[in-house]
Amino acid sequence: MNDSVLVEMHEIIKNFGGLRAVDSVDFSVKRGEVVGLLGENGAGKSTLIKILTGIYRPDYGEIRFEGKPVEIRNRADSQRLGIEPLYQDLSLVGTLDAASNVFLGKELTQKSLGFLPTLKLAAMQKEAEKILWEQLGIDFKNRWEPVYNLSGGERQAVALARAIYYEAKLVILDEPMASLGVEEVKRTLDIIRKLRETGISVIVISHNLEHVYSVADRVVVLHRGKKVADSPSAELTPDEVVKLMVFGERAKEVKAYE
Amino acid sequence: MNRGAEPITGSHGSRFMDREIGGRPIPYWATMIGPWAGILLFAVFMGVVRPEWLGIGNIRNILVQASVFIVLATGMTFVITGGGIDLSVGAMTGMSALTLGWLIKFTDIPELFAIALTFGAGLLLGTFNGILVTKLKLPDFIATLATWISYNGLVLVIIEGHTLFRFSPTVRFLGAHRLFGNLPVPIIAALLIALLGYFLMKWTKFGRYTIAIGGNRKAAVEAGIPVERYKVFQYAFNGLLAALAGIMMLGRLNAIHGLVGQGFEIHTIAAVIIGGTALYGGIARIGGSVAGALFLGLIANALTFLGIHFFVQYVVSGIVIMLVVLLYALVGYQQQPPGVR
Ligand SMILES: Nc1ncnc2c1ncn2[C@@H]1O[C@H](COP(=O)(O)OP(=O)(O)O)[C@@H](O)[C@H]1O
Ligand SMILES: [Mg+2]
């Protein structure tokens, strides 16, 4: 089970006007696998994952999820499949606390006085803390704090706890560490590892090879919309990756990943 | 602007926690204690200057006058917290009072039914605001500016400068009746409405989503919250409470004329802002709105008591509002929450 493919994208093409942002790319993620998606600015990384999340629709190509062909037409479709993107702005409500954000839109309710649907505040608080602590290892001291008062890393944890609560199977992080401090980056990387332990797959996009290499099981390199490398991270040195990112070369020497 | 990932800390070391409603920017005491402390200070000051001002009769008077604004401010808190504004609230109050007066004087329907219809009218007026804002995508300010003028005009057209007066105790119950000896019903009603507002804000999806929509509309959409529907709910709720306010006004005045409700929107919005609800949405303070309404009522009453002309009261009220908002800025209370929006 653990080695089975979760999502498979096949010969994906996406054009923006005359520009081919994604050019016939095969891309797959296994269950519980962390895939680092690399490439220079404009290489097509964000476009590729936005096809997975349903923000863009591919002009050509096929997507299979858990072996079945699927159509991801919008965000609701991707959410139903368990694909949870973590945007840089994290989509949190700054003035609500962590638990409220984790449960936003999926609040637990009870019938008070037999008819009145009210929020189960205590239960949601407890559940949110459980996810944060047991699955993400975040010791949450600022439980009542509006999340804009939390650090960037803590906010990220809240957003991830949310993804876990939504029963994510695949979490996508697009440049998650772009504006975090050193400690915060460490925490994010820890969280990515925690997600993998939970059996959740992760796609992480970053410019920073060191970060990617410290968590990724496999790296995929895009160059001008084309996939130029796809290899277990142990079999491709960061130096080679840099060359691939910049020149798109060495693609032929790297065996295609099954 | 995307500041999402920046670590943001308050400008002060102290970070107080909000266990009640939504979030609270620093500092805590400025928004929760502040308005109440203002009330206390003011009352002490007046008590010293004019001891007779603190008589039970006058206090009751103040509370009765403030009760209408407590009701209106509760509704307005939802609209503002949701990132909107309702300029038509005074006109809706007048429209509702007129509806009730008209139904009583010109139709034969039972009085209780007329009151029910009045609530229906308020609900309708409010819902119409909500539809303008969501379906026609008009900015909240523009939409309610338009309905403010239209509803007001409608009142003037219908009533044609006349006054309807003398209503039965049943019709006046919510505005003028007294229970338990000497406790005015409007005070009880205002208290119950404020409690209801607090309950809705904290314990229901309606309140939670209102905060979410005002705090970060995009995040609310992405969380699958039917934002437009809840926006309509906010305006509808505000309209419903405006109807209650109209019924209370009619009961208190025992009359209805074309000017009932005029200027209430400013007073109401001021009460909400003084209370600490964020003008840009996302932070709700029902208790603060109550305090704000009381505070403004206190000032108006004191000025009347001191024999200061009605028009001057507007100036003084305006200055007070300015001072309060300035004070918030000074102590670091941000009307627009920083960071994750
Ligand atoms: N919505 C869009 N409309 C037009 N062009 C786009 C759009 N999104 C991305 N592109 C273009 O597609 C290419 C790939 O962009 P993107 O996927 O964002 O790259 P990356 O995330 O790897 O930096 C770029 O040349 C970019 O300018
Ligand atoms: Mg990108």
Side-chain angles (χ1 to χ4, degrees):
Chain A
M1 188 75 180
N2 210 23
D3 228 31
S4 65
V5 175
L6 178 70
V7 62
E8 242 180 315
M9 302 174 85
H10 192 56
E11 288 184 14
I12 300 293
I13 294 176
K14 177 69 189 173
N15 299 315
F16 291 113
L19 176 87
R20 183 154 289 188
V22 175
D23 192 355
S24 202
V25 169
D26 287 346
F27 180 75
S28 67
V29 183
K30 292 180 186 172
R31 281 179 210 275
E33 186 183 35
V34 178
V35 178
L37 186 55
L38 297 159
E40 292 204 300
N41 251 335
K45 308 180 296 289
S46 297
T47 305
L48 185 66
I49 58 126
K50 279 177 182 165
I51 289 169
L52 268 186
T53 54
I55 292 172
Y56 297 145
R57 305 208 49 190
D59 296 318
Y60 184 83
E62 189 194 38
I63 304 174
R64 287 171 164 267
F65 198 85
E66 296 181 318
K68 289 184 279 292
V70 288
E71 262 202 86
I72 306 177
R73 286 157 306 192
N74 48 40
R75 176 69 191 105
D77 282 352
S78 65
Q79 187 164 49
R80 213 168 302 122
L81 294 172
I83 298 173
E84 285 293 332
L86 208 66
Y87 301 110
Q88 219 170 73
D89 64 9
L90 299 177
S91 295
L92 299 177
V93 176
T95 57
L96 288 171
D97 63 14
S100 305
N101 270 292
V102 169
F103 284 88
L104 191 66
K106 292 225 164 146
E107 287 80 2
L108 307 177
T109 56
Q110 66 204 353
K111 289 260 192 297
S112 290
L113 309 170
F115 72 97
L116 201 62
T118 55
L119 301 175
K120 291 165 93 170
L121 296 180
M124 286 193 280
Q125 186 70 39
K126 221 175 120 198
E127 182 69 16
E129 275 171 36
K130 211 175 98 193
I131 295 173
L132 282 164
W133 171 238
E134 287 178 10
Q135 305 207 38
L136 298 175
I138 297 279
D139 183 10
F140 229 63
K141 290 178 212 82
N142 311 321
R143 30 198 269 168
W144 305 105
E145 194 98 20
V147 299
Y148 66 69
N149 267 348
L150 304 184
S151 70
E154 284 171 328
R155 289 208 295 261
Q156 210 157 55
V158 172
L160 282 168
R162 191 174 150 69
I164 291 172
Y165 174 66
Y166 272 85
E167 296 188 327
K169 290 174 181 160
L170 172 65
V171 170
I172 300 173
L173 299 107
D174 193 348
E175 310 275 1
M177 281 116 10
S179 47
L180 295 184
V182 179
E183 276 303 302
E184 299 286 316
V185 166
K186 246 184 76 192
R187 177 133 59 168
T188 301
L189 295 173
D190 278 346
I191 287 174
I192 293 174
R193 293 186 195 104
K194 286 257 163 45
L195 287 175
R196 172 171 47 200
E197 280 169 30
T198 329
I200 295 174
S201 311
V202 179
I203 299 173
V204 53
I205 297 178
S206 173
H207 283 102
N208 190 316
L209 288 187
E210 199 185 320
H211 295 161
V212 172
Y213 264 85
S214 70
V215 287
D217 302 308
R218 188 154 57 87
V219 290
V220 172
V221 183
L222 294 185
H223 178 76
R224 295 190 185 158
K226 283 200 164 69
K227 185 167 87 173
V228 292
D230 187 337
S231 157
S233 41
E235 296 173 15
L236 198 61
T237 67
D239 273 353
E240 289 171 315
V241 168
V242 171
K243 278 188 201 130
L244 287 160
M245 282 168 64
V246 178
F247 304 112
E249 300 272 306
R250 276 187 49 84
K252 283 154 235 117
E253 300 169 40
V254 178
K255 267 189 292 174
Y257 188 81
E258 286 307 314
Chain B
M1 187 181 64
N2 176 9
R3 316 171 37 185
E6 279 171 42
I8 288 148
T9 44
S11 50
H12 296 236
S14 61
R15 290 181 182 172
F16 287 87
M17 311 169 297
D18 184 12
R19 312 186 55 146
E20 296 171 42
I21 297 175
R24 172 186 292 132
I26 37 95
Y28 165 81
W29 54 267
T31 66
M32 283 312 276
I33 317 258
W36 296 104
I39 289 174
L40 198 71
L41 276 177
F42 191 80
V44 168
F45 169 76
M46 278 304 289
V48 171
V49 178
R50 287 290 190 90
E52 68 271 28
W53 185 75
L54 281 176
I56 186 79
N58 193 45
I59 289 177
R60 186 164 47 223
N61 218 357
I62 294 170
L63 290 177
V64 168
Q65 277 168 12
S67 60
V68 168
F69 290 104
I70 290 173
V71 169
L72 291 175
T74 300
M76 188 66 79
T77 305
F78 279 82
V79 173
I80 293 181
T81 300
I85 188 101
D86 190 344
L87 297 177
S88 75
V89 73
M92 290 197 296
T93 303
M95 222 12 217
S96 305
L98 175 63
T99 304
L100 181 56
W102 192 87
L103 287 173
I104 297 294
K105 294 294 173 193
F106 299 113
T107 71
D108 290 330
I109 62 173
E111 289 178 331
L112 285 180
F113 187 49
I115 290 174
L117 281 180
T118 304
F119 278 115
L123 200 60
L124 214 65
L125 296 174
T127 305
F128 185 63
N129 280 334
I131 287 171
L132 290 183
V133 167
T134 55
K135 293 288 170 276
L136 295 188
K137 309 229 179 297
L138 296 179
D140 303 63
F141 187 88
I142 304 296
T144 59
L145 181 70
T147 52
W148 176 17
I149 297 167
S150 323
Y151 295 165
N152 247 343
L154 214 55
V155 168
L156 295 174
V157 166
I158 295 172
I159 204 154
E160 286 179 332
H162 297 294
T163 301
L164 307 174
F165 47 89
R166 284 209 208 103
F167 294 93
S168 75
T170 311
V171 175
R172 297 187 65 200
F173 178 83
L174 285 168
H177 195 71
R178 292 191 179 186
L179 285 179
F180 316 118
N182 232 342
L183 186 59
V185 172
I187 297 177
I188 303 172
L191 202 73
L192 289 177
I193 291 299
L195 286 174
L196 173 73
Y198 184 87
F199 167 79
L200 290 174
M201 195 63 92
K202 179 168 179 183
W203 289 93
T204 68
K205 283 189 177 179
F206 176 41
R208 176 63 60 86
Y209 291 171
T210 295
I211 296 168
I213 291 165
N216 186 344
R217 187 173 174 139
K218 184 169 151 278
V221 171
E222 278 163 11
I225 294 170
V227 167
E228 299 202 333
R229 192 189 314 161
Y230 277 90
K231 286 283 278 186
V232 174
F233 286 171
Q234 288 151 21
Y235 280 101
F237 183 58
N238 197 39
L240 190 68
L241 292 190
L244 175 58
I247 295 166
M248 286 162 74
M249 281 307 289
L250 180 143
R252 195 167 91 211
L253 300 173
N254 199 12
I256 152 83
H257 50 76
L259 297 180
V260 171
Q262 285 208 4
F264 281 20
E265 58 288 322
I266 302 305
H267 201 94
T268 303
I269 293 166
V272 173
I273 300 307
I274 288 175
T277 292
L279 185 52
Y280 296 96
I283 301 172
R285 294 283 176 276
I286 299 282
S289 295
V290 172
L294 275 178
F295 191 51
L296 288 179
L298 227 57
I299 290 170
N301 177 282
L303 292 174
T304 311
F305 204 82
L306 297 173
I308 293 169
H309 193 275
F310 179 68
F311 295 147
V312 181
Q313 290 182 22
Y314 271 107
V315 180
V316 175
S317 293
I319 291 171
V320 167
I321 293 162
M322 235 178 326
L323 286 178
V324 170
V325 174
L326 208 65
L327 189 72
Y328 277 149
L330 276 178
V331 298
Y333 179 74
Q334 285 123 350
Q335 285 282 321
Q336 180 164 27
V340 192
R341 289 282 299 163

